[in-house]
């Protein structure tokens, strides 16, 4: 698809969306696959008597089970008739959602990653939330971390309402850490404040496990490469923006982050050629002491019965920062939404947020702060040990082509994997990534037509 040949048309006077706008979601997924079918369609409970709320999301596995349980309980307790449709995550989901919004077949509410909003809201594929109605239902800006709430705002309007934040974190085997002398008097992992300290702790854990100190899978996984890189980069106080004709970034900070990653991947501290599945298995089998991963792995580790804890990734370069994203509720565009139906949708979402202590069980940090500040959340371990990550959460640099499930992180992998394999100089790999992004930024933005 040649996105540079034309710009998106504007919506008709009647409030409809042009065929060009139908394609906006796909344009934000250049190089992606075709639509995937719905995997699951869950009917409301027999006792539900309210107006049906059509709810789409891409949550599967443990997340899908937790969400299904949460929706079922909300239906039962509050008389909703919410119907869940679960679609294939990634390109299929985002393309399907865009086409449904533009084709007049949009669900009442859907889940998107907050990092994808810049590729949807400006093109008219989403409707803004009415913050007055949310406030009437007990959901206000004051109930959310500032960065998480602000991420949903485009041109002064709220287009996404976060359910959670899911940061990149550090999990650790408490038995291995204890044997390595890496636990403090409080029983938690010792404070680590520099790259050298991190490597030292990892090497001590490697002496215990006999294999590796850290599990970090990255082969063929641009998201994994990016999550750690961007965390380290931001911890140097560096910034990256994609809102001009060229990328703006701190090249020295970026190279330093890549150099540390290659130093860690020396075959002793961490496997030099590990993929994500291997990293999970290694940590579960006690063959490493620490695991760089996302909060979504918590149910897997909890089910294994191993002794582990988790914390926000240590600040190695002086500035508190961590990479993350949010599952967020959005209102796919409807030309003439029914007022009663919309109110029921708002009520449904507000009750999901208020009941998100259940969602916290899957490892995610609820965005609705009354949950995080409750005694019940304090009792959730290890979740309570990394809840502070929301204070320093950072999303992908904003662009129509960035965000979870987009090709942005794939562009990173194309140029950086060989760096991590020790086959390309970090500065050369970084330049290739920057050149790839600059080639995109030099062309018209298909979402705004500029």
């Amino acid at each position: 698809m040649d996105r540079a040949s034309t710009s998106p048309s504007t919506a008709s006077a009647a409030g409809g969306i042009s065929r060009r706008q139908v394609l906006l979601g796909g344009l934000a997924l250049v190089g992606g696959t075709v639509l995937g079918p719905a995997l699951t369609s869950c009917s409301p409970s027999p006792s539900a008597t309210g107006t049906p709320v059509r709810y789409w999301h891409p949550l599967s596995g443990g997340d899908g089970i937790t969400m299904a349980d949460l929706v079922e309980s909300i239906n039962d307790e509050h008389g909703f008739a919410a119907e869940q449709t679960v679609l294939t995550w990634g390109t299929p989901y985002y393309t399907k959602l865009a086409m449904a919004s533009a084709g007049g077949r949009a669900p009442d509410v859907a889940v998107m990653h907050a990092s994808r909003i810049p590729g949807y809201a400006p093109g008219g594929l989403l409707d803004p939330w009415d913050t007055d109605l949310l406030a009437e239902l007990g959901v206000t800006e004051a109930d959310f971390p500032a960065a998480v709430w602000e991420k949903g705002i485009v041109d002064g309007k709220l287009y996404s309402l976060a359910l959670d934040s899911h940061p990149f974190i550090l999990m650790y085997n408490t038995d291995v850490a204890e044997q390595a002398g890496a636990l403090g008097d409080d029983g938690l992992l010792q404070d680590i404040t520099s790259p050298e300290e991190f490597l030292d702790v990892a090497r001590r854990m490697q002496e215990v496990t006999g294999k590796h100190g850290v599990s970090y899978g990255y082969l063929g996984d641009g998201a994994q490469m990016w999550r750690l890189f961007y965390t380290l980069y931001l911890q140097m106080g560096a910034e990256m923006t994609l809102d001009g004709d060229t990328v703006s970034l701190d090249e020295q900070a970026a190279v330093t982050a890549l150099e540390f990653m290659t130093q860690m991947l020396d075959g002793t501290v961490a496997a030099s050629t590990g993929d994500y599945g291997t990293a999970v298995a290694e940590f579960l089998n006690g063959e490493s002491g620490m695991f760089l991963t996302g909060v979504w792995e918590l149910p897997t580790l909890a089910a294994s019965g191993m002794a582990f804890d988790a914390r926000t990734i240590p600040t190695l370069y002086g500035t508190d920062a961590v990479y993350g994203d949010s599952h967020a509720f959005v209102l796919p565009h409807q030309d003439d939404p029914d007022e009663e139906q919309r109110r029921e949708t708002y009520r449904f979402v507000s009750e999901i947020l208020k009941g998100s202590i259940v969602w916290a069980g899957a490892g995610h940090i609820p965005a609705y702060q009354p949950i995080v500040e409750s005694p019940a959340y304090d009792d959730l371990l290890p979740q309570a040990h990394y809840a502070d990550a929301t204070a320093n959460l950072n999303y992908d640099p904003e662009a129509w082509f960035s965000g979870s499930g987009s090709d942005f992180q794939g562009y990173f992998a194309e140029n950086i994997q060989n760096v991590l394999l020790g086959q390309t100089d970090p500065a050369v790999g970084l330049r290739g990534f920057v050149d790839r992004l600059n080639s995109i930024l030099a062309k018209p933005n298909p979402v705004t037509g500029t």
Side-chain angles (χ1 to χ4, degrees):
M1 185 182 300
D2 181 6
R3 64 180 179 78
S5 60
T6 57
S7 60
S9 304
T10 57
S12 69
I17 297 180
S18 71
R19 184 177 182 279
R20 182 64 174 168
Q21 285 171 295
V22 172
L23 302 176
L24 285 180
L27 285 168
L29 300 165
V30 173
T33 58
V34 296
L35 297 183
L39 297 179
T40 309
S41 184
C42 305
S43 299
S45 65
S47 62
T49 58
T51 302
V53 175
R54 295 164 299 161
Y55 173 35
W56 285 13
H57 65 75
L59 304 166
S60 59
D63 282 354
I65 293 171
T66 303
M67 178 55 71
D69 289 345
L70 177 54
V71 171
E72 183 177 356
S73 67
I74 294 297
N75 278 345
D76 290 343
E77 293 173 19
H78 300 279
F80 290 108
E83 301 173 349
Q84 298 179 79
T85 296
V86 185
L87 294 149
T88 304
W89 183 87
T91 299
Y93 178 73
Y94 285 108
T95 307
K96 180 81 170 179
L97 187 61
M99 295 187 73
S101 297
R105 302 182 305 279
D108 296 306
V109 64
V111 166
M112 285 182 65
H113 284 89
S115 60
R116 298 302 301 272
I117 302 304
Y120 282 72
L125 294 172
L126 303 177
D127 291 337
W129 289 91
D130 181 339
T131 54
D132 289 337
L133 180 52
L134 286 173
E136 182 181 326
L137 294 168
V139 177
T140 70
E141 179 178 355
D143 295 321
F144 295 78
V148 175
W149 177 271
E150 291 167 4
K151 184 60 183 175
I153 296 176
V154 177
D155 295 331
K157 296 180 179 179
L158 184 70
Y159 281 93
S160 72
L161 184 62
L163 168 63
D164 63 36
S165 59
H166 42 272
F168 200 54
I169 62 172
L170 180 68
M171 296 186 177
Y172 57 96
N173 184 314
T174 52
D175 289 341
V176 171
E178 182 177 22
Q179 292 177 60
L183 295 182
D185 294 338
D186 56 2
L188 304 178
L189 188 67
Q190 69 178 72
D191 196 22
I192 300 172
T193 60
S194 72
E196 294 76 20
E197 283 185 71
F198 183 86
L199 294 174
D200 175 67
V201 170
R203 291 185 179 114
R204 282 152 49 195
M205 290 189 179
Q206 188 277 333
E207 292 176 359
V208 174
T209 66
K211 189 171 183 180
H212 296 123
V214 182
S215 289
Y216 172 61
Y218 71 92
L219 276 182
D221 193 337
Q224 274 291 97
M225 298 181 214
W226 174 256
R227 289 164 184 152
L228 180 56
F229 164 80
Y230 201 45
T231 294
L232 298 171
Y233 175 81
L234 293 166
Q235 287 187 356
M236 288 176 245
E239 297 180 355
M240 182 183 299
T241 59
L242 305 174
D243 55 2
D245 295 331
T246 59
V247 178
S248 174
L249 84 166
D250 184 329
E251 293 188 16
Q252 183 55 57
V255 168
T256 298
L258 293 174
E259 289 174 340
F260 172 78
M261 292 171 71
T262 58
Q263 186 179 6
M264 183 183 74
L265 297 166
D266 65 356
T268 299
V269 172
S272 57
T273 58
D275 60 26
Y276 187 74
T278 300
V280 174
E282 180 181 70
F283 186 67
L284 284 172
N285 291 330
E287 297 172 337
S288 67
M290 296 184 287
F291 183 24
L292 291 161
T293 185
V295 300
W296 50 84
E297 286 297 345
L298 189 147
T300 300
L301 300 183
S304 73
M306 70 178 295
F308 77 99
D309 206 332
R311 56 155 295 162
T312 301
I313 289 181
T315 300
L316 305 185
Y317 291 99
T319 300
D320 294 334
V322 63
Y323 168 82
D325 209 332
S326 294
H327 293 111
F329 293 111
V330 296
L331 300 171
H333 175 72
Q334 295 181 10
D335 288 345
D336 187 23
D338 178 85
E339 184 176 342
E340 180 181 348
Q341 184 77 11
R342 269 283 161 96
R343 185 175 183 87
E344 189 78 346
T345 300
Y346 274 61
R347 197 167 68 88
F348 169 72
V349 170
S350 71
E351 294 300 340
I352 289 283
L353 293 174
K354 294 171 185 176
S356 57
I357 187 69
V358 174
W359 190 238
H364 307 290
I365 305 172
Y368 189 65
Q369 290 302 281
I371 298 295
V372 178
E373 294 166 358
S374 69
Y377 191 84
D378 287 340
D379 293 336
L380 278 181
L381 298 176
Q383 292 93 319
H385 290 164
Y386 56 78
D388 60 340
T390 57
N392 303 294
L393 195 71
N394 291 268
Y395 299 85
D396 279 352
E398 289 194 1
W400 65 268
F401 54 85
S402 68
S404 180
S406 71
D407 285 339
F408 173 77
Q409 292 166 354
Y411 301 147
F412 188 71
E414 289 170 4
N415 295 280
I416 300 303
Q417 178 160 294
N418 282 342
V419 173
L420 302 185
L421 288 170
Q423 299 172 2
T424 301
D425 181 80
V428 173
L430 177 66
R431 177 47 54 189
F433 175 57
V434 170
D435 288 346
R436 184 71 172 89
L437 297 184
N438 284 342
S439 70
I440 299 173
L441 293 171
K443 300 174 183 178
N445 180 333
V447 177
T448 62
T450 59

